[in-house]
Amino acid sequence: DLNAALYRIERRLASMREALGRDGAPYDAAADARAAAMNGVLWDGAAHRWRDVVLDDRGATTWASPGPALSDFCTPLWAGLDPPDGDVAALVAALQASGLIGAWGAAATSVDTGQQWDAPNAWPPLQDMLVEGLARLGGDAAALAETVGRAWAASARAGWERHGTMFEKYDSGREGERGAGGEYAPQEGFGWSNGAALLMVERYFLK
C-alpha cells in the first residue's frame, strides 16, 4: 500500500511541477523506478496480483500471506499501475475467483477472523479505490468496477433507509448492514462512507 501511494504521489508531483512550468522529470523518474521495483518484487505472475512480501536479513523474500487481500488489487490499480505482463483479463479473473467480491461490495480479505480488516467487511475507501482502478483499465475490468460500485452504493442506500445512518464499514454479504469486528463498536455517520457513496452515484447513477 505504501509503495503504491508513493508512486501515485510521485506522478502527481511531476504533473504539478510541469503545470507550473518546472521540471517534473525527477519525480517521473522516481515513479518509474518505484514501479519497476514493485513489479519486480511484489508482482506474483502465477496469482496475477501484487502481494506484500517479508524480507529476511539476507534480502530473501517470501509472500507475507497465502490468501488474497483486496489491497493486492485495488491499491496498485488505483495508483495507476497496470499488470506488468499486460494480461488484464487474467487479473480480472483472479479477482473474481479470489473470494473477495461479495454480493454487496468487496471484502478487505477472503478470511473471516472476526477482525475489522478482514471478511466480510467492505470498507468504503477500498471500494472507491477498486472501482477507480478497474474502471481505468476499461473492458471487463470496467464492467466489474460498475458491478461492485453499484452493489456497494445500493447497500449503503439500503442501510440509510433501514437504519437512518451511514456506517463506517459495511457487510459485503448482507445488504444495508454494518460491518463488525475489531476493538471498537462500528461508527456511524462516517465521512468516507458519504464520500464513497457520492462518488459511486456520480460515476454510475447520474449518466
Side-chain angles (χ1 to χ4, degrees):
D1 291 358
L2 176 60
N3 278 293
L6 289 172
Y7 172 83
R8 179 160 168 147
I9 289 168
E10 287 159 350
R11 289 293 189 213
R12 291 291 178 87
L13 287 172
S15 296
M16 290 169 62
R17 287 180 64 88
E18 290 167 2
L20 294 171
R22 302 174 69 180
D23 182 14
Y27 289 101
D28 272 331
D32 289 341
R34 189 178 303 279
M38 290 177 67
N39 290 335
V41 177
L42 304 179
W43 175 255
D44 182 348
H48 303 288
R49 69 180 197 268
W50 293 269
R51 301 175 67 179
D52 287 331
V53 300
V54 176
L55 288 170
D56 67 20
D57 56 6
R58 298 184 303 277
T61 61
T62 55
W63 300 124
S65 62
L70 191 59
S71 59
D72 294 347
F73 299 93
C74 72
T75 315
L77 293 176
W78 163 83
L81 291 173
D82 296 335
D85 59 7
D87 196 345
V88 173
L91 180 146
V92 171
L95 177 55
Q96 290 174 316
S98 66
L100 297 168
I101 306 299
W104 303 106
T109 71
S110 60
V111 294
D112 186 347
T113 63
Q115 296 301 312
Q116 62 177 351
W117 284 102
D118 283 320
N121 291 326
W123 289 84
L126 299 185
Q127 312 307 299
D128 178 43
M129 294 167 75
L130 180 65
V131 166
E132 181 179 333
L134 288 172
R136 181 179 60 80
L137 298 176
D140 289 342
L144 180 58
E146 182 166 359
T147 296
V148 172
R150 284 182 173 274
W152 182 85
S155 182
R157 177 175 178 174
W160 171 264
E161 293 175 343
R162 185 178 307 144
H163 302 287
T165 190
M166 300 291 285
F167 297 128
E168 173 195 34
K169 52 187 177 286
Y170 290 81
D171 189 318
S172 62
R174 299 189 301 152
E175 182 185 25
E177 296 303 319
R178 74 181 75 202
E183 65 276 11
Y184 61 88
Q187 303 297 297
E188 296 182 356
F190 227 70
W192 63 29
S193 303
N194 301 338
L198 288 172
L199 288 168
M200 300 304 177
V201 168
E202 181 181 31
R203 185 182 291 272
Y204 296 122
F205 296 90
L206 296 180
K207 292 182 178 179

